[in-house]
């Protein structure tokens, strides 16, 4: 699972089970990975099959957009010399339209299920691709009709919080409209869930990297009072003696030097401030350094490995 969360709050609870992205530059970088992964999967789809086979090496990827209205609004943000972030929204449209056959699934969540106007909560093209819709209690029949595409699904009349209606267009118009009871989990219960492998795709690695699962599997280190602390993923193996040294660009060298100087975990924004470089430039440098085994990521922070100190020196 990959969680896009511009509100920041929910994503923090899932860092040990999902790849979480909260900054727009990080979302742009992940979108590029998803496009590359989706295209490669579709090109490798066996003849006569409608959906790519999934496996531990090539898992189903669920892209969950939380607070979708916030993302739509923030994507209009102008960055000097770089335009806005509408390419992030365009990628999510592509995922919704094209990549279900590649087992890359988009789930969109919003508190305001409107398709247009100021502050709308979901993009109209994305909404048109949603074949399954789940609605909690909404404010009005108009909102219910926006969610389900029909006025006779009374999400505005649900009996109490915690109940929802689910509509699956593949089941046709005669499906039952009985409310279902949803399972509720506190933040502490989510944090206490066991860790699981987190998907990454980097420019330096093939689509199914050798030993990728082992290198990127977070490991549980301590469980205390409902808090789960994660050990960072193991770094890639050091290069063998006599092998060609890692060649770093100027931006990669600056990011690596900042991480080594910090001598501890750094957030993306910390690296932007320390290097005085654009967010996108820092994101690309960190991805490449991670691929080289010089940097490890743990949730929303980055740390230099022991090999990084030698390269930096």
């Amino acid at each position: 699972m990959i969680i896009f969360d511009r509100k920041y709050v929910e994503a923090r609870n899932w860092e040990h089970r999902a790849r979480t992205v909260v900054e727009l530059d990080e979302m742009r970088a992940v979108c590029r990975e998803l496009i590359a992964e989706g295209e490669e999967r579709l090109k490798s789809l066996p003849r006569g099959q409608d959906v790519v086979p999934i496996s531990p090496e090539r898992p189903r990827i669920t892209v969950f957009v939380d607070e979708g209205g916030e993302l739509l609004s923030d994507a209009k943000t102008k960055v000097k010399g770089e335009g806005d972030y509408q390419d992030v929204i365009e990628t999510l449209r592509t995922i919704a339209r094209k990549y279900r056959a590649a087992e890359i699934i988009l789930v969109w969540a919003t508190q305001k299920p409107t398709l247009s106007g100021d502050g709308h909560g979901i993009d109209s093209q994305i909404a048109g691709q949603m074949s399954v819709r789940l609605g909690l209690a909404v404010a009005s029949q108009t909102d219910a009709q926006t969610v389900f595409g029909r006025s006779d699904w009374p999400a505005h009349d649900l009996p109490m919080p915690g109940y929802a209606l689910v509509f699956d267009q593949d089941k046709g118009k005669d499906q039952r409209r009985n409310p279902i009871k949803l399972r509720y989990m506190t933040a502490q219960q989510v944090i206490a869930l066991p860790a699981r492998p987190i998907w990454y795709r980097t420019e330096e690695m093939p689509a199914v990297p050798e030993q990728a699962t082992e290198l990127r599997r977070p490991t549980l280190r301590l469980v205390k009072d409902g808090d789960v602390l994660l050990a960072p993923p193991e770094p890639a193996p050091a290069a063998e003696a006599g092998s060609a040294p890692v060649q770093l660009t100027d931006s990669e060298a600056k990011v690596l030097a900042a991480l080594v100087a910090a001598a501890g975990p750094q957030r993306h924004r910390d690296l932007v401030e320390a290097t005085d470089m654009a967010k996108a430039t820092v994101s690309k440098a960190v991805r490449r350094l991670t691929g080289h085994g010089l940097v490890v990521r743990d949730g929303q922070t980055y740390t230099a490995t022991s090999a990084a100190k030698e390269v930096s020196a």
Side-chain angles (χ1 to χ4, degrees), residues 10-20 198 218 230 298-300:
E10 298 296 338
R12 295 192 186 109
N13 299 330
W14 292 91
E15 289 178 348
H16 59 304
R17 291 181 64 85
R19 185 173 178 183
T20 59
I198 295 175
L230 300 178
D298 184 14
Q300 297 297 318

Side-chain angles (χ1 to χ4, degrees), residues 1-312:
M1 183 161 65
I2 301 174
I3 299 176
F4 283 31
D5 183 9
R6 287 297 291 160
K7 195 175 178 180
Y8 306 105
V9 177
E10 298 296 338
R12 295 192 186 109
N13 299 330
W14 292 91
E15 289 178 348
H16 59 304
R17 291 181 64 85
R19 185 173 178 183
T20 59
V21 284
V22 295
E23 302 293 347
L24 291 170
D25 285 310
E26 290 180 308
M27 292 179 182
R28 173 176 281 163
V30 171
C31 282
R32 290 170 180 160
E33 292 182 46
L34 289 168
I35 289 291
E37 182 74 13
E39 292 300 313
E40 184 172 273
R41 290 186 179 198
L42 290 180
K43 290 176 182 176
S44 66
L45 182 64
R47 186 178 182 184
Q49 294 189 18
D50 297 327
V51 181
V52 298
I54 60 173
S55 65
E57 294 76 25
R58 178 165 277 177
R60 175 181 293 115
I61 300 172
T62 299
V63 182
F64 186 91
V65 178
D66 197 17
E67 301 294 343
E70 286 297 316
L71 178 55
L72 288 172
S73 176
D74 292 347
K76 300 175 184 177
T77 302
K78 298 288 185 179
V79 180
K80 187 175 180 180
E82 298 183 16
D84 56 26
Y85 290 89
Q86 289 300 316
D87 55 308
V88 173
I89 306 302
E90 188 56 46
T91 295
L92 296 175
R93 290 171 180 162
T94 298
I95 292 172
R97 292 189 302 243
K98 187 175 180 181
Y99 290 157
R100 277 180 290 182
E103 289 287 7
I104 302 177
I105 311 301
L106 179 65
V107 179
W108 189 281
T110 180
Q111 296 186 40
K112 188 176 182 181
T114 53
L115 302 176
S116 60
D118 294 336
H120 61 290
I122 183 170
D123 177 77
S124 58
Q125 292 192 45
I126 292 174
Q129 299 298 322
M130 295 296 177
S131 59
V132 178
R133 304 181 182 214
L134 182 148
L136 293 163
V138 295
S140 66
Q141 186 174 0
T142 301
D143 286 343
Q145 184 168 358
T146 302
V147 174
F148 296 107
R150 48 196 302 167
S151 60
D152 57 342
W153 278 67
H156 59 294
D157 282 338
L158 284 168
M160 63 184 68
Y163 284 84
L165 294 176
V166 179
F167 178 81
D168 184 346
Q169 69 181 29
D170 293 336
K171 294 183 178 180
K173 62 181 181 179
D174 296 327
Q175 59 191 290
R176 300 173 68 181
R177 292 173 290 173
N178 293 339
I180 62 170
K181 183 73 166 66
L182 300 180
R183 176 178 296 175
Y184 174 77
M185 297 180 70
T186 65
Q188 289 71 31
Q189 288 172 324
V190 172
I191 293 170
L193 291 171
R196 61 179 302 170
I198 295 175
W199 179 85
Y200 287 83
R201 174 191 172 97
T202 62
E203 297 173 356
E204 295 75 28
M205 304 175 71
V208 186
E210 185 178 357
Q211 296 181 329
T213 303
E214 288 73 21
L215 291 178
R216 289 184 170 81
R217 179 178 288 116
T219 55
L220 290 179
R221 185 169 63 192
L222 175 66
V223 180
K224 181 179 180 182
D225 297 332
D227 294 325
V228 177
L229 304 180
L230 300 178
E234 291 294 324
E240 297 181 1
S243 61
V246 175
Q247 299 295 321
L248 302 181
T249 64
D250 290 342
S251 59
E252 291 163 15
K254 290 179 68 175
V255 170
L256 190 62
L259 282 170
V260 170
Q266 295 289 291
R267 298 169 301 174
H268 183 269
R269 68 187 69 173
D270 298 328
L271 295 175
V272 171
E273 294 176 0
T275 60
D276 195 28
M277 295 191 302
K279 293 180 180 179
T281 303
V282 171
S283 296
K284 183 176 180 180
V286 169
R287 291 201 308 276
R288 292 180 61 86
L289 291 169
T290 302
H292 290 315
L294 301 176
V295 171
V296 292
R297 173 171 177 161
D298 184 14
Q300 297 297 318
T301 62
Y302 305 93
T303 307
T305 65
S306 56
K309 299 174 183 178
E310 299 176 6
V311 172
S312 181

